[in-house]
Amino acid sequence: MSPLSSLLSIAVLAAAIPNGTPPPPVTPPTSPQCCNSVVPSSSTAASAVAALLGLDLTGLGVLVGLSCSPITVVGNNCGSTTVTCDAPEEEWGGLIAINCIPITL
């Protein structure tokens, strides 16, 4: 096998291997959340939580909420950061919410 064909074989193999999970979809924020912190999706904290959940936040460029719970009552005393985010996926267990925008209740 020539070096060129070996290199081509490696390139074809690399293209066939998936790069992990795709980033979660970013949709308009509609879910009021109380989050312990809100950080850029590129931050170390967001990346660490995302890695635990098997999410890839590369290139999202949005704010994410960490340790969030839904606000279900108007006037709820959040005590942390009140935001509106994409509704977090149930399997994320409140650890992360995507595309958060700070709000004032």
Side-chain angles (χ1 to χ4, degrees), residues 39-55 57 66 95-96:
V39 298
S41 56
S42 60
S43 74
T44 304
S47 296
V49 172
L52 288 173
L53 298 169
L55 299 173
L57 301 180
L66 302 177
L95 293 176
I96 196 167

Side-chain angles (χ1 to χ4, degrees), residues 26-78:
V26 175
T27 59
T30 58
S31 176
Q33 299 284 317
C34 180
C35 300
N36 284 347
S37 61
V38 177
V39 298
S41 56
S42 60
S43 74
T44 304
S47 296
V49 172
L52 288 173
L53 298 169
L55 299 173
D56 179 9
L57 301 180
T58 305
L60 282 186
V62 297
L63 293 176
V64 297
L66 302 177
S67 298
C68 300
S69 58
I71 297 173
T72 55
V73 177
V74 174
N76 182 18
N77 185 7
C78 174

